[in-house]
Amino acid sequence: EEEEYQKLKQFVEIVASGGVVTDFQIHARIAVLNKNYSPSDNRKVPPLRYHHVRRLAREFPELNISLNGGVETLAGVKRELDECEELDGVMVGRGFVSNPWAFVMADHVLYPEDVCDLSPGPQNRMEVLEAYGKHADYEEVRGDPTKIRRFMTKAISHLFAGEPNAKRYRIGLDEMAGWPKKFAKEMKQNPNFVQPAQPPLSELIMDIATTHLSEEALYRSPKESFDKLLWDEEQAERKRSVIDTVVFSSGTKGVSNENVNKSLVQEWQTSRKEDELNEREESK
């Protein structure tokens, strides 16, 4: 491990030596460049070496060092920044895309001393949908719904990740996103086909949300949402501890956290593949 760290340190020293590059986002996994290792394997199999990134941040205080890899929650970001004050940031990718509302309290959690200077954000996800609906209507008027509607709905498809009926909400958005192409295809095949009148995209979005999601989910505040996420993480951790204890004491094999609780990131990846399949089907 020390040899690996020294190679990483030498690389940073060489790149930063000219004084031009000062920001480094360091991924804590060392990729295995082997044909037997897929990109998916490289995101899971090599161990996370956060201690290497922390050590870099401490040894190069003049540089901006950010940690990347394996952190999927806002609580995880805060934990890493608290662990090493020299770190300048934590990069989150899939965790944010798969559950964007989970990071709505980021400024308050990470920069509490600056909260007074922040403009008030959305009070709930209903406000987010209302504001986004106006933007969606504007874009559809300017563009071709057959080309852009799926892109417009994809941006809000994971806004309610982890909520009851979130999958039905995503399916509803996906079906509605395919209507323009479906109607265009019908008109091409049948000149006498009359396209049914549709309300603005904003109304369609709101109708799907209010049909499938509870008022509690739609109107829960950012603070309430963050507190609920913390509670859910604590319960999941307790569950994992119990399972690990049972597995260890019984010697049972084949039981893993993935089998017990499918992560939101995995749900997002599955959903993304489904979207790609739908898009390919529509393009035929």
Side-chain angles (χ1 to χ4, degrees):
E1 274 206 21
E2 181 61 25
E3 183 180 352
E4 290 175 347
Y5 174 75
Q6 291 302 326
K7 288 180 180 179
L8 174 61
K9 179 180 177 179
Q10 183 182 31
F11 171 80
V12 171
E13 286 175 334
I14 292 172
V15 175
S17 61
V20 177
V21 180
T22 58
D23 292 4
F24 290 82
Q25 286 77 41
I26 310 293
H27 202 292
R29 294 189 200 272
I30 298 178
V32 179
L33 303 180
N34 185 308
K35 65 179 181 180
N36 295 323
Y37 267 71
S38 67
S40 177
D41 290 333
N42 265 315
R43 288 194 294 269
K44 294 179 291 187
V45 178
L48 287 161
R49 293 183 169 87
Y50 292 152
H51 53 289
H52 283 354
V53 185
R54 296 181 191 126
R55 187 174 168 185
L56 273 178
R58 293 181 179 118
E59 294 187 11
F60 293 92
E62 72 280 8
L63 301 176
N64 294 321
I65 306 290
S66 296
L67 180 149
N68 184 19
V71 182
E72 297 179 355
T73 66
L74 180 55
V77 172
K78 188 175 189 308
R79 188 163 51 245
E80 292 304 323
L81 292 175
D82 290 344
E83 176 80 14
C84 180
E85 294 182 357
E86 292 81 5
L87 273 177
D88 293 286
V90 176
M91 184 180 291
V92 180
R94 289 173 176 80
F96 178 82
V97 176
S98 66
N99 191 6
W101 185 251
F103 292 82
V104 69
M105 287 286 290
D107 286 336
H108 294 264
V109 172
L110 302 179
Y111 312 105
E113 66 280 2
D114 299 326
V115 167
C116 294
D117 300 327
L118 299 174
S119 59
Q123 298 304 301
N124 50 62
R125 280 174 280 193
M126 183 63 90
E127 286 190 6
V128 174
L129 289 179
E130 290 171 349
Y132 188 79
K134 295 176 183 178
H135 169 65
D137 289 343
Y138 172 75
E139 291 295 338
E140 273 219 326
V141 170
R142 291 177 66 243
D144 182 354
T146 62
K147 295 180 180 178
I148 69 169
R149 179 171 287 191
R150 190 169 295 282
F151 291 103
M152 297 303 300
T153 56
K154 188 178 293 186
I156 54 171
S157 62
H158 293 278
L159 185 60
F160 295 90
E163 299 289 352
N165 293 328
K167 187 172 183 178
R168 293 181 183 178
Y169 163 77
R170 292 200 305 271
I171 291 173
L173 287 179
D174 186 67
E175 291 176 348
M176 180 264 288
W179 288 349
K181 282 191 176 181
K182 179 181 178 182
F183 295 150
K185 190 175 181 180
E186 288 276 2
M187 292 178 68
K188 189 175 181 180
Q189 294 176 345
N190 180 10
N192 297 321
F193 174 76
V194 178
Q195 180 174 322
Q198 289 189 68
L201 180 53
S202 58
E203 292 185 23
L204 294 172
I205 291 171
M206 295 300 290
D207 182 62
I208 291 170
T210 54
T211 297
H212 297 295
L213 300 164
S214 68
E215 284 195 9
E216 197 275 333
L218 289 167
Y219 291 98
R220 189 188 307 128
S221 72
K223 177 68 166 58
E224 292 168 339
S225 298
F226 183 64
D227 289 343
K228 181 178 182 297
L229 284 169
L230 289 179
W231 187 86
D232 289 343
E233 287 181 26
E234 289 176 2
Q235 297 306 306
E237 185 59 37
R238 289 179 184 176
K239 192 173 185 179
R240 282 193 291 269
S241 297
V242 171
I243 291 168
D244 290 343
T245 301
V246 172
V247 172
F248 179 77
S249 60
S250 64
T252 305
K253 294 183 179 181
V255 181
S256 69
N257 292 340
E258 291 182 3
N259 294 330
V260 176
N261 186 22
K262 191 176 183 181
S263 73
L264 294 177
V265 173
Q266 289 172 313
E267 286 187 17
W268 166 69
Q269 290 172 331
T270 301
S271 174
R272 186 177 64 170
K273 290 177 182 178
E274 292 173 353
D275 288 343
E276 291 173 353
L277 287 173
N278 289 332
E279 289 172 8
R280 282 199 290 269
E281 287 294 323
E282 289 177 1
S283 63
K284 290 181 180 179

